[in-house]
Amino acid sequence: MSTQVKQLAKADASKGSRIKQDKETIFFNIIGYTLLTLVSLICLIPFWLIVAGSFTDEMEIISKGFQLFPDTVSFEAYKSLFSTPAQIYRAYGVTIGVTIAGSLLGIFLTSMAGYVLSRKDFAMRNSISFFIYFTTLFSGGLIPWYILMTKNLGLKDSYWALILPPLLSAWNIILMRSFMKSIPESIVESAKIDGAGDFKIYQRLILPLSTPGLATIGLFLALGYWNDWFNANMFITTDSKYPLQFLLYKILSSAAVLQTNNGAYLAANVVPPTETLKMAVAVVATGPIILLYPFVQRYFVKGLTVGAVKG
């Protein structure tokens, strides 16, 4: 009888601790989800302010400033931005083409470099890794780089001038090397015993196992190509080859010049949409690339952290 009483008491104690633990877990989840929701809202407010500002009347922004919910909805900024829609669509095409071509080529070259530098049987891996790292400390300068691109390589007013400069990054190569070093060496050794060559090992084994790292590098490259306007400013002279970011920069510059030069000749109630145009440009420029992020987000954190800490 005493044994049964002890068992019942033990069961009641475990049930009570489980209920207590469940309450603590529920309380922790409530606090955690509440804080995450607040942080998410704080992060979304600036983007919503940009979107709302792009649909606000210019006079309202001048008189009241930016508001989360504008009193007057206006599409003047988008009408000004898409006054020549063919030019915008062409710039979109250039940016999308350069982003896809540069990202795919960059992923291929970066992953090959990372695979070679992660191989323990490659005798010069440390020396080459040092030279790659050395480029992050010093650079040749803007003028020698411009002379190399235009005089030696002949890339003036060429799409390759938009693709080649951001193609390889020392940080991306080091990140990919660290990721591939976390892949067990036994996999490569087993493939060699079966008669697989280096490129087949890289293609059939290393690349499928490196999906998180490839997605991370691909996101870095895609963001770099999509937001790049400096190379177009340096090398592109034909209007039809302008990427989106540089075209939007030119539109903003033209709007600022229009407001400065023609402000005195306009009617008192006519104000060029300068501030709202800036918001509309931000929406048009960042909207498509934001849609890409959810597809690679699940790989992003893993690609950055795998191989960073080794036991």
Side-chain angles (χ1 to χ4, degrees):
M1 187 70 178
S2 60
T3 305
Q4 294 178 352
V5 171
K6 290 181 179 179
Q7 290 178 352
L8 290 174
K10 186 181 293 185
D12 291 338
S14 62
K15 182 178 179 181
S17 62
R18 187 171 63 253
I19 293 174
K20 182 179 180 181
Q21 183 179 5
D22 291 341
K23 289 181 178 179
E24 292 177 353
T25 303
I26 293 173
F27 179 75
F28 177 80
N29 289 337
I30 292 174
I31 297 298
Y33 286 133
T34 303
L35 289 177
L36 286 176
T37 302
L38 292 176
V39 172
S40 301
L41 290 175
I42 291 173
C43 294
L44 288 174
I45 285 174
F47 184 75
W48 173 253
L49 193 64
I50 291 175
V51 175
S54 66
F55 290 101
T56 306
D57 184 69
E58 184 75 16
M59 291 295 296
E60 183 178 339
I61 289 181
I62 294 174
S63 59
K64 299 181 180 180
F66 292 97
Q67 302 181 76
L68 292 177
F69 300 97
D71 298 331
T72 304
V73 177
S74 174
F75 297 92
E76 290 300 321
Y78 290 97
K79 289 179 181 178
S80 301
L81 186 60
F82 287 93
S83 58
T84 55
Q87 192 177 23
I88 296 289
Y89 298 148
R90 185 169 58 245
Y92 258 118
V94 172
T95 299
I96 292 173
V98 169
T99 300
I100 293 175
S103 299
L104 292 178
L105 188 58
I107 289 173
F108 176 69
L109 295 178
T110 302
S111 60
M112 288 191 69
Y115 171 62
V116 171
L117 295 177
S118 66
R119 291 285 298 269
K120 294 182 179 180
D121 55 349
F122 180 49
M124 298 183 63
R125 68 182 186 278
N126 292 330
S127 300
I128 295 178
S129 298
F130 170 76
F131 284 118
I132 293 175
Y133 171 73
F134 188 79
T135 61
T136 64
L137 304 177
F138 302 96
S139 65
L142 181 61
I143 295 177
W145 172 64
Y146 182 82
I147 294 174
L148 173 67
M149 293 288 290
T150 56
K151 299 295 183 182
N152 300 102
L153 299 180
L155 298 180
K156 185 72 173 179
D157 200 29
S158 171
Y159 288 122
W160 285 108
L162 303 176
I163 296 176
L164 289 181
L167 188 62
L168 285 174
S169 167
W171 159 253
N172 290 345
I173 294 175
I174 294 173
L175 181 64
M176 184 57 66
R177 183 199 63 174
S178 300
F179 184 90
M180 290 184 174
K181 284 176 68 176
S182 65
I183 298 175
E185 190 70 22
S186 57
I187 296 177
V188 178
E189 294 175 355
S190 301
K192 284 186 176 181
I193 293 174
D194 293 337
D198 287 330
F199 191 78
K200 183 172 289 187
I201 294 173
Y202 162 78
Q203 180 184 7
R204 298 289 181 86
L205 296 176
I206 302 300
L207 287 183
L209 294 174
S210 303
T211 303
L214 296 176
T216 304
I217 298 301
L219 180 62
F220 287 158
L221 288 170
L223 287 174
Y225 279 111
W226 187 270
N227 294 322
D228 181 39
W229 65 272
F230 182 74
N231 290 315
N233 188 30
M234 293 285 291
F235 304 113
I236 303 301
T237 57
T238 305
D239 294 352
S240 60
K241 295 181 180 180
Y242 285 169
L244 179 65
Q245 298 287 354
F246 185 62
L247 178 63
L248 297 178
Y249 166 77
K250 298 276 286 185
I251 292 175
L252 283 178
S253 301
S254 301
V257 171
L258 178 65
Q259 186 183 36
T260 302
N261 295 340
N262 297 335
Y265 302 100
L266 296 175
N269 59 345
V270 177
V271 179
T274 306
E275 297 299 325
T276 56
L277 186 61
K278 294 178 182 178
M279 303 297 105
V281 164
V283 172
V284 171
T286 59
I289 201 66
I290 288 176
L291 300 177
L292 173 67
Y293 183 76
F295 296 100
V296 297
Q297 187 269 341
R298 57 175 179 162
Y299 302 110
F300 186 71
V301 175
K302 185 178 179 181
L304 285 175
T305 56
V306 171
V309 179
K310 298 182 72 67

